[in-house]
Amino acid sequence: MSYDWSFGFLWEYRSLIFKGLLITVAFTIGTNLAGLLIGLVVGLCRQFANRYVTIPLVAYIELFRCTPLLVQLVWIYYALPVLIGVNIPAYTAAALTLSLYAGSFYAEIFRGGVAAIDKGQWDAARGIGMRWSQSLRRIILPQAFRLMIPPIINQSILQLKNTSLISTLAVGDLLYQGAIITSATYRPLEVYTMVAVVYFVVLFPATILARQMEIRMSRGR
Amino acid sequence: MIEISDLHKSFGALEVLKGINLRVEKSSVVALIGPSGSGKSTLLRCLNLLEEPDSGVVKMGDAVFKYGADWRRPGDREVSAFRARTGMVFQHFNLFPHMTALQNIIEGPVIVKKMQKKKAVELALHLLGQVGLADRGSSYPSELSGGQKQRVAIARALAMEPEILLLDEVTSALDPELVGEVLDVIRALAEKGMTMALVTHEMSFAREVADQVYFMSDGVIAEHGTPDEVLTRPQNPRTQAFLSRFRLSGN
């Protein structure tokens, strides 16, 4: 079986590919930031609040961590509007789902990071008269962030790849543009190879950066 | 100075403190001795409310904290303000690893007391000199020996200009050859009239610096008095047994 590979035609579609990449990157950055914020708040409440707060939060975290992202996207885009009677635009549904999904993972990273700090650090901070919030902000979180940087970078990398699923809601990300080009050219092998290469070119440097930071952190004080 | 009465504390089903009364007079040194698990450290941690008593009264000057079913639990603000007036030094130092020695020391004055940073640095440098580490201000804890860490921890506690210094087995985690340098600092503080309560296994040091010795056993104070009374002529059989075990082990 022989196949005549030909990538030349892709040049015609460069603006479409670039637009798709921009949307992918924008969704990655935006939902990562929102996810970090959600994760910080939820993770800290999960660690410190009473059980009336933590039980619903655990439910949220595990629901989003233990179901497929694809199902979540479809559910929030199609099923939630039926339940609450409000139409949600595809871009909003995609951003909301990705943020909540990332938030559930970040929440566990934040909780674990804070929990990993020796209890003696709280004693020392409280011992010099710091309020609870001062101890958290000045002593616990700076140390915890250091532990959390590698898992946060890992999760961010996964998040960029996860954005490919929003193409199912017809959000024009890189994969979606790939599908459009495929339907116009009937050349799926070249198109999806190109899509994979673009993802790789963006992510590979990020993984190198992550590894360097990890090394610096483990060496650091 | 500081006084606690009828203090009770349980962890789950285990009652650790069973009605403790204790007084530390101004400019005096109280040593708490006793076997492991007798409640010494818990008692010390109750003195600055790092451990919240189940019932009883903790009183220092005008600050009075009453615990028990009939009393409102004090809020974070009140308790933190109280702790700012006490200083605590821990067995495992608990220095802030992401800060230099100097930053460790100025953290309390700057953040809690809102002291000007310049003034706090002056104070910190003075205290570093006092504990014999004038040249180590820019070192991180990971670059210091155990004895140096503990001296920085003492300086950090002193930076709050506490009315009482609480020392929780501060030499137990140190290599034997480093114990002396820390005890020297504490001895100098005692000579300057610093009020202190210390939990210790160093019997000869307790005899030397303490004005009062409390022997704890199974969550009660079995015996207390001057070092001579408790350490030389103990009346309580449990104290006698504890001290003879200590002598046998060559201490």
Side-chain angles (χ1 to χ4, degrees), chain B residues 126-138:
Chain B
H126 168 74
L127 289 168
L128 277 169
Q130 196 179 323
V131 298
L133 294 170
D135 54 340
R136 300 314 297 265
S138 56

Side-chain angles (χ1 to χ4, degrees), chain B residues 111-179:
Chain B
I111 300 299
V112 178
K113 283 182 153 180
K114 315 287 180 207
M115 186 186 283
Q116 273 185 354
K117 196 169 172 194
K118 194 163 159 277
K119 264 186 79 183
V121 169
E122 272 170 36
L123 171 67
L125 291 173
H126 168 74
L127 289 168
L128 277 169
Q130 196 179 323
V131 298
L133 294 170
D135 54 340
R136 300 314 297 265
S138 56
S139 303
Y140 281 87
S142 59
E143 300 163 341
L144 299 172
S145 74
Q148 291 173 329
K149 282 183 205 171
Q150 196 58 295
R151 286 185 281 152
V152 172
I154 292 172
R156 176 175 68 181
L158 292 175
M160 293 300 289
E161 292 166 329
E163 294 166 46
I164 182 170
L165 192 61
L166 309 170
L167 303 144
D168 189 5
E169 296 194 34
V170 295
T171 58
S172 297
L174 296 178
D175 292 335
E177 75 271 21
L178 302 178
V179 169

Side-chain angles (χ1 to χ4, degrees), chain A:
Chain A
M1 196 180 122
S2 78
Y3 182 81
D4 192 11
W5 292 88
S6 147
F7 287 92
F9 71 92
L10 288 169
W11 184 247
E12 270 174 62
Y13 294 96
R14 61 187 180 278
S15 70
L16 212 54
I17 295 165
F18 186 68
K19 189 181 154 219
L21 178 63
L22 276 187
I23 288 181
T24 292
V25 169
F27 263 90
T28 305
I29 293 173
T31 61
N32 256 325
L33 290 178
L36 280 170
L37 196 66
I38 295 170
L40 178 67
V41 173
V42 172
L44 290 180
C45 290
R46 163 100 174 70
Q47 177 72 2
F48 297 113
N50 66 36
R51 111 171 77 138
Y52 299 102
V53 178
T54 56
I55 287 177
L57 291 181
V58 172
Y60 151 66
I61 291 170
E62 297 309 338
L63 193 66
F64 274 83
R65 288 205 312 165
C66 302
T67 58
L69 177 57
L70 183 61
V71 175
Q72 295 166 17
L73 282 163
V74 169
W75 200 89
I76 287 190
Y77 185 50
Y78 294 104
L80 194 60
V82 175
L83 289 180
I84 61 173
V86 179
N87 230 0
I88 305 178
Y91 278 72
T92 312
L96 182 68
T97 313
L98 281 175
S99 300
L100 287 171
Y101 179 80
S104 68
F105 283 90
Y106 287 133
E108 282 301 280
I109 293 173
F110 277 99
R111 189 195 62 76
V114 168
I117 302 302
D118 178 36
K119 212 183 137 286
Q121 292 292 309
W122 282 102
D123 283 348
R126 306 289 268 153
I128 53 175
M130 282 191 174
R131 306 281 304 273
W132 185 86
S133 54
Q134 290 172 326
S135 311
L136 184 70
R137 189 165 44 82
R138 299 280 314 170
I139 307 302
I140 304 303
L141 280 182
Q143 296 182 59
F145 274 132
R146 212 164 279 189
L147 299 175
M148 289 184 286
I149 283 173
I152 283 176
I153 291 177
N154 267 328
Q155 190 59 40
S156 309
I157 288 169
L158 288 176
Q159 183 77 351
L160 188 130
K161 292 198 290 176
N162 284 334
T163 56
S164 64
L165 291 170
I166 64 179
S167 60
T168 54
L169 305 189
V171 174
D173 77 322
L174 186 57
L175 193 72
Y176 184 80
Q177 307 300 358
I180 294 210
I181 299 168
T182 301
S183 60
T185 61
Y186 303 106
R187 286 259 173 205
L189 296 188
E190 286 88 346
V191 171
Y192 287 114
T193 305
M194 176 276 300
V195 167
V197 167
V198 174
Y199 273 105
F200 187 86
V201 165
V202 174
L203 278 181
F204 185 61
T207 63
I208 292 176
L209 185 75
R211 200 169 308 134
Q212 280 174 345
M213 285 188 89
E214 216 164 321
I215 293 166
R216 199 176 317 152
M217 286 304 139
S218 66
R219 213 194 288 136
R221 15 183 94 106

